[in-house]
Amino acid sequence: MRTRTTAVAVLFLAAAATLTACEEDTTSSKPSTGNASATPSPETKPAQEQKDTTQGTSSIPAKPTGAKRQQLLDALAEAAPDVVRYEDKAIDAARNQCSAINNGANRINWMASQRFTYKDVTTTEAQGKAINEVLQTSGFCNV
């Protein structure tokens, strides 16, 4: 009985400490500084504005359509034939792999083998290396 009481007391104190540690949002009660032309800091910018400013710096290429999509699928099939069994998954995996390539990630061949392994498709690290070469030489990852 004593351990239950102690456990309940500890939980209560932890909950109370958590509640008192929460920061109250007082931005709406601050008086205006009168400087309406001041640029808000990144923390106070609306989420949409922040999204718009970072949109151009993505290292993931746009989703290919039409002939470009087919060219990518054909190139991937040459590197590892099974990865294109699920075309949409292969396209998404290729786009995400470009992010790793463009950002200089370590072990990109292993990452490709993991990204292109799904359902009943297993991709080896050697195939991952071939996929990376195709993505780089085709120019698909150039953003």
Side-chain angles (χ1 to χ4, degrees):
M1 182 70 174
R2 181 177 226 169
T3 55
R4 268 192 230 169
T5 306
T6 304
V8 169
V10 169
L11 288 174
F12 178 77
L13 290 174
T18 303
L19 289 174
T20 58
C22 291
E23 185 178 326
E24 186 178 324
D25 184 14
T26 58
T27 56
S28 61
S29 63
K30 285 185 180 179
S32 176
T33 59
N35 189 359
S37 64
T39 304
S41 68
E43 296 86 30
T44 60
K45 280 185 179 180
Q48 183 61 37
E49 286 182 36
Q50 288 180 8
K51 183 180 176 184
D52 290 344
T53 59
T54 60
Q55 210 168 20
T57 61
S58 175
S59 59
I60 298 178
K63 198 174 256 191
T65 58
K68 288 185 179 185
R69 175 185 167 93
Q70 192 57 50
Q71 288 172 350
L72 176 61
L73 290 170
D74 292 343
L76 290 172
E78 287 180 30
D82 288 341
V83 300
V84 296
R85 188 176 303 158
Y86 305 101
E87 292 180 355
D88 289 338
K89 287 191 176 291
I91 297 293
D92 289 341
R95 293 177 66 224
N96 288 322
Q97 186 62 20
C98 285
S99 176
I101 292 169
N102 291 339
N103 291 320
N106 295 326
R107 299 184 62 197
I108 60 172
N109 297 337
W110 176 83
M111 291 174 82
S113 73
Q114 299 302 301
R115 278 199 173 98
F116 287 90
T117 295
Y118 29 77
K119 294 186 181 183
D120 57 342
V121 175
T122 302
T123 304
T124 66
E125 205 164 328
Q127 289 173 317
K129 181 178 181 181
I131 289 169
N132 286 330
E133 289 172 1
V134 163
L135 291 174
Q136 291 170 326
T137 58
S138 70
F140 178 70
C141 289
N142 297 344
V143 290

